[in-house]
Amino acid sequence: MTEVKWAERLRKNLHASADSLGNLAVESFHYLALFGIGAITAYAAVITFIGMINKGSFSVDDILLLFIYLELGAMVGIYFRTNHMPIRFLLYVAITALTRLLISDVSHHNPPGMGLIYLTGGILLLSIAVLIVRFASSRYPSVSEKTEG
């Protein structure tokens, strides 16, 4: 019976060590990926901004693209601090991207058609989704919720 307890203790120690190493590997990849996404977002925003300055003019399209970069950067920052994906920011990015596409489509004098209806319908649906998420997060907050809400 003593040999079985020794083997069980060894198994538990091995399991605990494997869990610790696995958690370290996952968290290391997690933070490395967050740094990478944040750095790429910042780099893309700077390159876009420099391109706008070199061009000498700014369009609403360009400004909305910068807002998309800003929202992505904020999303990475919130995810870094809270370890929760702020779903509202993904919805904001999608709304901004569709708005950018809508403005680009209209400003290039494309004749109005069903595409315009689809874009505005998509923006409306995403806006309703934001309302639902905000209502749900205020009505049913998670226990560890810090900044999302």
Side-chain angles (χ1 to χ4, degrees):
M1 193 58 125
T2 314
E3 292 177 21
V4 174
K5 287 182 182 178
W6 173 82
E8 184 63 25
R9 199 169 44 248
L10 180 62
R11 187 191 67 78
K12 285 181 182 178
N13 287 339
L14 181 63
H15 184 70
S17 297
D19 274 351
S20 293
L21 286 172
N23 288 338
L24 175 65
V26 168
E27 287 179 18
S28 297
F29 175 76
H30 179 235
Y31 286 117
L32 184 65
L34 279 176
F35 276 119
I37 292 168
I40 289 168
T41 302
Y43 178 76
V46 168
I47 294 300
T48 300
F49 188 73
I50 290 171
M52 288 168 51
I53 291 173
N54 288 339
K55 187 171 65 170
S57 65
F58 311 104
S59 68
V60 175
D61 226 19
D62 296 330
I63 294 168
L64 287 173
L65 183 58
L66 290 177
F67 268 110
I68 290 172
Y69 290 136
L70 177 67
E71 290 163 357
L72 288 172
M75 191 171 65
V76 168
I78 289 171
Y79 192 68
F80 221 122
R81 286 183 296 158
T82 65
N83 212 19
H84 289 92
M85 177 60 72
I87 189 73
R88 281 186 308 147
F89 278 79
L90 289 172
L91 294 171
Y92 295 151
V93 167
I95 290 170
T96 306
L98 287 179
T99 303
R100 182 174 182 258
L101 184 61
L102 179 67
I103 290 171
S104 176
D105 191 43
V106 170
S107 69
H108 290 94
H109 308 292
N110 290 334
M114 285 307 291
L116 189 68
I117 301 297
Y118 294 147
L119 283 173
T120 54
I123 293 169
L124 177 65
L125 285 175
L126 288 168
S127 300
I128 291 170
V130 169
L131 285 174
I132 291 169
V133 168
R134 286 194 57 92
F135 174 77
S137 67
S138 67
R139 179 94 182 217
Y140 308 105
S142 65
V143 176
S144 65
E145 191 171 87
K146 294 177 184 172
T147 60
E148 176 74 9

